[in-house]
Amino acid sequence: MTISNWRETRLSRLLATRLPVMATGLHWLSNADYVAAAVNSGMMSFITAASFADLQALRDEIQRCRELVGGRNFGVNVSMLPKLLPGDRTEEVMALILEERIAVVETSGRDPSAYVAPLKASGCKVIHKVPQLRHALKAEAAGVDAVTLVGAECGGHPGESPVGTLVQGVLAARALRIPFALGGGIASGEQIIALLALGADGVAIGTHFLTAEEIPAHEDYKQRLIDAQAGDTTLIMASVRNTMRVLRNETTETVHTLEREGVNDIQQLLPHVRGILGRAAYISGDWQQGALSVGQGVGLATRMAPLADLIAEFEQQADHALQRLCP
Ligand SMILES: Cc1cc2nc3c(=O)[nH]c(=O)nc-3n(C[C@H](O)[C@H](O)[C@H](O)COP(=O)(O)O)c2cc1C
């Protein structure tokens, strides 16, 4: 690897991006403005389908994004619940993705096997995101184009037996044949070089970009992220086998108390953790309320800035790290 070519990997070639970096799906937050800012800065990014109340609203957002990216490719994130439940919209969302000829799909949650063949036949690249290597291997066998493995540090869902990103990386490099990205705690350019050195083909970032200007959330929430230390996140909902890493706040205190008291029924936790409360917090800035996905990389957030500036800083840090290694 030389200083000039860390940017070109199997993942950047697969996605036809300038950088081997993905700004992955963020519920309520990765809208057309955010995704377009990421794509126009050289990354791949994903509109989160679950954030839209109906399919027409998702279609409108895709159209808005198309106008903002000037012909560049962008993706849609399809987060599936662990089990198929009544009211699940995955089939309809996948049909819309095919109709709209979306370039890349990021799936997470359930096994995506059923959707891989039709998506690939239409020319869409499929990247499945998982917290455990065994699921990544299953996705590889199902024919996905690439996988993203997230480690214990990540915001959102680190799985039920979280494994740190560095350990995941070595395991993945030894076992997978298809291109893979690593996520979980990536909040500096130096880490990109470290993970490429492990054998990863790229990185996936959520938390570090939450303070981007394009993120549609209140400044008080972003300021809290800037003030937070790396230890200000916590894990909730292991009791219902739906572990989430979130910002420590009044809601997590309440949920921890309930879990200590032996609550292990999602229905009893839902009044505190339902997604709509998180959305209200993003709008009002009252970060004490709701289960707000945030990873340990929050300890490295220093400023609100355009997404293009945040990624430009990463590139400089990555170049310097490589110079240090290969003067
Ligand atoms: C606020 C927030 C919302 C997220 N929403 C989703 C989502 O809707 N679907 C999904 O697949 N992943 C979601 N994630 C996970 C991210 O796409 C990504 O995997 C994760 O943030 C990477 O770890 P990091 O936070 O340490 O960068 C979310 C993460 C955050 C921080």
Side-chain angles (χ1 to χ4, degrees), residues 47-320:
I47 294 175
T48 307
S51 306
F52 298 89
D54 58 70
L55 293 177
Q56 189 54 47
L58 173 59
R59 209 183 282 277
D60 293 346
E61 196 71 1
I62 288 170
Q63 185 51 36
R64 206 163 72 77
C65 196
R66 210 166 261 143
E67 284 159 20
L68 293 170
V69 295
R72 294 187 179 87
N73 285 338
F74 61 94
V76 170
N77 166 285
V78 185
S79 310
M80 301 175 282
L81 292 171
K83 285 194 186 124
L84 184 58
L85 295 175
D88 186 286
R89 291 190 317 185
T90 306
E91 289 286 332
E92 292 87 337
V93 169
M94 290 296 185
L96 186 154
I97 283 169
L98 288 173
E99 275 170 40
E100 294 289 333
R101 308 194 72 76
I102 295 297
V104 192
V105 166
E106 175 187 59
T107 51
S108 63
R110 274 203 308 283
D111 173 6
S113 302
Y115 308 108
V116 173
L119 287 170
K120 286 182 71 171
S122 80
C124 179
K125 307 284 184 239
V126 184
I127 306 180
H128 188 51
K129 185 167 64 187
V130 293
Q132 286 194 354
L133 179 60
R134 69 190 163 88
H135 298 306
L137 288 167
K138 212 170 154 198
E140 178 179 72
V144 300
D145 295 284
V147 287
T148 298
L149 264 157
V150 288
E153 300 92 323
C154 74
H157 294 277
E160 299 318 306
S161 303
V163 176
T165 303
L166 278 181
V167 173
Q168 293 272 39
V170 179
L171 291 171
R174 290 184 181 168
L176 290 165
R177 288 187 312 276
I178 56 173
F180 72 95
L182 290 172
I186 312 309
S188 74
E190 293 89 339
Q191 288 167 300
I192 300 178
I193 299 302
L195 297 184
L196 294 179
L198 289 185
D201 299 283
V203 300
I205 297 171
T207 297
H208 191 71
F209 292 155
L210 293 174
T211 59
E213 275 177 18
E214 294 84 356
I215 284 280
H218 197 284
E219 274 200 10
D220 290 354
Y221 159 78
K222 294 183 188 177
Q223 190 57 49
R224 172 60 193 139
L225 300 183
I226 290 164
D227 296 340
Q229 308 295 308
D232 286 340
T233 73
T234 187
L235 296 174
I236 57 169
M237 296 209 289
S239 61
V240 293
R241 298 192 58 73
N242 190 25
T243 300
M244 279 183 85
R245 184 175 293 286
V246 294
L247 186 66
R248 199 183 286 279
N249 61 9
E250 286 173 12
T251 294
T252 63
E253 292 302 310
T254 306
V255 171
H256 281 156
T257 303
L258 290 170
E259 292 190 301
R260 271 197 304 273
E261 287 168 357
V263 167
N264 59 3
D265 173 6
I266 185 76
Q267 293 306 328
Q268 283 179 266
L269 297 182
L270 265 182
H272 308 283
V273 302
R274 65 174 75 248
I276 205 76
L277 297 174
R279 184 183 209 189
Y282 295 142
I283 293 169
S284 70
D286 181 3
W287 54 267
Q288 290 284 7
Q289 308 305 321
L292 307 177
S293 292
V294 173
Q296 293 178 334
V298 72
L300 289 166
T302 57
R303 61 189 176 127
M304 284 173 236
L307 192 51
D309 291 2
L310 296 180
I311 191 65
E313 189 177 24
F314 269 33
E315 289 190 63
Q316 275 180 7
Q317 292 167 340
D319 286 336
H320 286 153

